[in-house]
């Protein structure tokens, strides 16, 4: 009877979920389920601060603080280093699980970009025709990367007043600006037309060469660089690198007027001199103007073969790239052999050629987007957006109140990726650093 009672009690204990072994603990299924339901997250950023128990990571879109006491840490915890952190959220806190630290610290340019707002980054991509009023206010609002100076912001001033204006632009800008002019010599001069800047205009490349060959070219370039720098200008939109030997061509008066080999030598000579003087240079007008009409007044179709460009028109640009040109300006001509649907300035295919085939890693400018070839076919906003999408780093514009917000809006809406903006901003800032502006 006693034996039957013990068996009955054992069965009852088992049915109630209790173990007959006093040292065996029940499994808490609820706790196990909670652990599995906690999701882990990852973030890449820079270590901004460290305490004995916490780490603060600054990422492009947020800065987060997390408990690091139980984290598995790979590498040295050093402020400024990049880190990849796996973490979880628990009890209103972030708990670091694993911290992988890169030994590579951010470059000064990367650091600048990391700390810039989206508005500041987009603004850097615009070379704006300097307004005649509210120029300082515009810098504060739109953060443009540079000002292009034309007659209306040059001729009304004495040399001292002009210098004062340019110095004010730089003081107002958080990041030093590119201050640029078209001082090609000959038919295109912005400053030397006016005697308060120089006693006579700079001569054309063709005239200079006739006077004294490449020595005269070098002499003139040095004088030009010295004058511009004294006026607080840091970029001259020169040399014209188009191959043109026909006086009836639109571009001929501005070109060197010789074949591809001689034009290449001219471009190399000018770029070497400007680089020595730390003057910003711009090779123009890629991929080569040829005998095309003026795109200021309409679209121009270039029907030459691609082989023609490779064997002739590309050569001066390649010589300039090899010599260390900081930037290249792309024309609005439609190159039928490459992209029959888009002007070169808005053509991803042309920019791919420039980057991959010609190995250019500097700043790419559009020609002025106010020209009829763009303004009348694309419009102001769409022209600017397409220019960024095509691969340009800096857009030459005058309607900054319309075009800068248009590109900014396209980034916020996801039409343009922020990474695309970052690529251009890095090239712009690197160029500014090379010019001694950063």
């Amino acid at each position: 009877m006693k034996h039957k009672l013990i068996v009955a009690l054992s069965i009852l204990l088992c049915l109630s979920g209790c173990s007959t072994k006093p040292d065996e603990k029940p499994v808490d299924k609820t706790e196990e389920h909670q652990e599995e339901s906690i999701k882990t997250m990852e973030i890449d950023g820079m270590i901004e601060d460290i305490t004995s128990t916490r780490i603060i990571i600054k990422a492009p879109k947020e800065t987060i603080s997390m408990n690091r006491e139980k984290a598995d840490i790979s590498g040295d915890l050093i402020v400024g280093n990049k880190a990849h952190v796996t973490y979880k959220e628990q009890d209103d806190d972030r708990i670091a699980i694993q911290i992988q630290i890169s030994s590579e610290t951010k470059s000064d340019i990367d650091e600048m970009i990391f700390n810039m707002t989206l508005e500041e980054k987009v603004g850097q991509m615009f070379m704006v025709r300097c307004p005649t009023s509210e120029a300082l206010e515009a810098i504060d609002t739109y953060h443009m990367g540079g000002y292009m100076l034309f007659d209306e912001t040059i001729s009304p001033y004495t040399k001292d007043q002009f210098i004062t204006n340019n110095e004010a632009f730089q003081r107002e800008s958080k990041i030093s600006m590119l201050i640029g002019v078209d001082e090609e010599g000959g038919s295109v001069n912005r400053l030397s037309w006016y005697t308060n800047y120089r006693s006579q205009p700079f001569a054309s490349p063709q005239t200079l060469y006739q006077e004294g060959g490449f020595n005269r070219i070098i002499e003139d370039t040095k004088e030009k660089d010295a004058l511009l720098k004294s006026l607080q200008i840091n970029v001259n939109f020169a040399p014209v690198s188009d191959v043109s030997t026909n006086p009836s061509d639109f571009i001929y008066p501005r070109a060197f007027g010789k074949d591809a080999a001689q034009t290449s030598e001219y471009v190399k000579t000018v770029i070497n001199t400007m680089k020595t003087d730390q003057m910003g240079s711009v090779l123009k007008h890629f991929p080569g103007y040829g005998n095309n009409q003026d795109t200021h007044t309409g679209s121009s179709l270039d029907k030459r073969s691609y082989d023609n460009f490779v064997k002739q028109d590309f050569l001066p640009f390649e010589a300039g790239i090899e010599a260390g040109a900081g930037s290249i300006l792309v024309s609005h001509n439609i190159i039928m052999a490459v992209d029959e649907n888009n002007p070169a300035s808005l053509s991803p295919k042309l920019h791919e050629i420039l980057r991959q085939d010609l190995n250019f890693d500097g700043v790419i400018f559009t020609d002025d987007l106010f020209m009829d070839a763009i303004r009348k076919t694309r419009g102001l906003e769409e022209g600017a957006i397409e220019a960024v999408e095509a691969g340009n780093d800096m857009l030459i514009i005058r309607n900054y109140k319309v075009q800068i917000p248009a590109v900014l809006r396209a980034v916020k809406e996801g039409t343009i990726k922020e990474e695309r903006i970052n690529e251009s901003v890095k090239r712009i800032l690197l160029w500014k650093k090379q010019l001694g502006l950063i």
Side-chain angles (χ1 to χ4, degrees), residues 148-292:
M148 279 287 286
L149 306 179
F150 288 87
D151 297 75
E152 66 270 15
T153 49
I154 295 173
S155 61
Y157 303 105
T158 66
K159 185 180 290 189
D160 287 342
Q161 289 172 332
F162 183 75
I163 293 170
T164 298
N165 289 343
N166 291 336
E167 288 176 339
F169 298 153
Q170 298 293 25
R171 283 196 305 271
E172 199 70 23
S173 183
K174 185 176 178 180
I175 298 173
S176 295
M177 300 179 74
L178 299 173
I179 307 292
V181 292
D182 290 304
E183 196 72 17
E184 298 172 5
S187 61
V188 177
N189 286 311
R190 301 300 178 195
L191 283 155
S192 58
W193 286 123
Y194 305 105
T195 55
N196 51 319
Y197 297 103
R198 193 171 187 264
S199 59
Q200 60 183 8
F202 285 105
S204 71
Q206 293 180 33
T207 299
L208 293 169
Y209 188 73
Q210 290 169 1
E211 289 176 355
F214 285 119
N215 286 335
R216 183 72 183 95
I217 295 286
I218 293 171
E219 181 184 84
D220 177 82
T221 304
K222 283 186 172 296
E223 183 185 349
K224 195 179 294 181
D225 292 346
L227 174 62
L228 297 183
K229 292 187 79 171
S230 73
L231 297 171
Q232 306 302 309
I233 292 170
N234 48 53
V235 178
N236 185 12
F237 278 69
V240 173
S241 306
D242 304 278
V243 177
S244 176
T245 58
N246 187 342
S248 65
D249 292 347
F250 160 74
I251 204 66
Y252 178 81
R254 299 166 60 186
F256 188 55
K258 306 293 183 184
D259 63 20
Q262 290 174 294
T263 301
S264 297
E265 188 65 26
Y266 160 71
V267 169
K268 182 176 74 173
T269 300
V270 173
I271 294 299
N272 281 333
T273 306
M274 294 179 75
K275 189 174 181 182
T276 299
D277 295 339
Q278 208 174 25
M279 173 58 63
S281 58
V282 185
L283 304 175
K284 61 185 187 184
H285 309 78
F286 186 80
Y289 225 99
N291 62 354
N292 291 281

Side-chain angles (χ1 to χ4, degrees), residues 47-56 65-69 73 77 79 99:
I47 301 175
E48 187 175 71
D49 196 14
I50 307 165
T51 71
S52 59
T53 59
R54 303 192 73 78
I55 185 170
I56 298 175
S65 172
M66 59 185 77
N67 188 305
R68 68 176 185 88
E69 290 180 286
I73 301 172
L77 283 179
V79 171
I99 304 173

Side-chain angles (χ1 to χ4, degrees), residues 58-61 108-125 142-145 174-175 418 421-422 424-426 428-429 432 438:
K58 183 172 184 179
K61 294 184 178 180
D108 54 347
I109 297 300
D110 288 332
E111 185 66 24
M112 285 181 68
I113 295 170
F114 191 82
N115 289 301
M116 291 168 70
T117 66
L118 179 60
E119 288 75 11
E120 289 170 340
K121 289 190 286 189
V122 169
Q124 281 296 304
M125 295 182 66
Y142 296 99
H143 319 287
M144 55 275 292
K174 185 176 178 180
I175 298 173
E418 189 169 351
I421 302 297
N422 292 343
S424 287
V425 174
K426 186 168 185 174
I428 295 163
L429 297 184
K432 287 185 175 184
I438 297 176

Side-chain angles (χ1 to χ4, degrees), residues 118-119 121-126 142 366 369 379-390 392-395 397 399-418 420-422 424-425:
L118 179 60
E119 288 75 11
K121 289 190 286 189
V122 169
Q124 281 296 304
M125 295 182 66
F126 287 85
Y142 296 99
T366 66
L369 293 180
L380 296 176
E381 294 188 12
E382 189 57 35
I385 292 169
E386 285 190 43
V388 174
E389 291 177 322
N392 294 286
D393 299 307
M394 295 197 80
L395 285 56
I397 65 163
N399 300 82
Y400 62 92
K401 293 181 180 180
V402 173
Q403 290 169 296
I404 294 178
V407 172
L408 182 60
R409 188 164 55 251
V411 178
K412 290 180 177 179
E413 293 173 352
T415 304
I416 299 172
K417 300 296 184 185
E418 189 169 351
R420 167 71 196 87
I421 302 297
N422 292 343
S424 287
V425 174

